[in-house]
Amino acid sequence: MKQIVITVGTDGSVSIEAQNYKGSECDAATRPFEAALGQITKKRRKPEFYAAEQGNVSKHEKFYE
């Protein structure tokens, strides 16, 4: 199940995590929350983001072989 988890730390820091999303769909899912919360100080991509991107490239390359 796809979920967006927002955590507020005791110091007031906020983190947003997209769970069970692949590739750039996590950016689309978190974008409204990022915009509402303000300035982003750090963004870390999970392996799922890159795995989906690599998969798309492989399929594209095979199509043109």
Side-chain angles (χ1 to χ4, degrees):
M1 168 176 34
K2 293 180 179 179
Q3 293 183 329
I4 303 295
V5 178
I6 300 174
T7 306
V8 180
T10 55
D11 61 353
S13 63
V14 178
S15 69
I16 304 170
E17 180 183 358
Q19 296 180 341
N20 300 313
Y21 286 84
K22 296 210 183 282
S24 59
E25 68 179 0
C26 64
D27 285 333
T30 59
R31 190 172 294 119
F33 300 103
E34 292 170 352
L37 292 169
Q39 182 180 1
I40 299 170
T41 56
K42 182 175 151 184
K43 193 167 198 168
R44 183 181 60 88
R45 305 241 187 243
K46 296 182 347 185
E48 293 87 348
F49 177 86
Y50 298 106
E53 293 295 318
Q54 289 172 355
N56 289 339
V57 172
S58 297
K59 289 177 187 174
H60 184 64
E61 289 174 350
K62 287 180 183 177
F63 180 76
Y64 287 102
E65 285 180 349

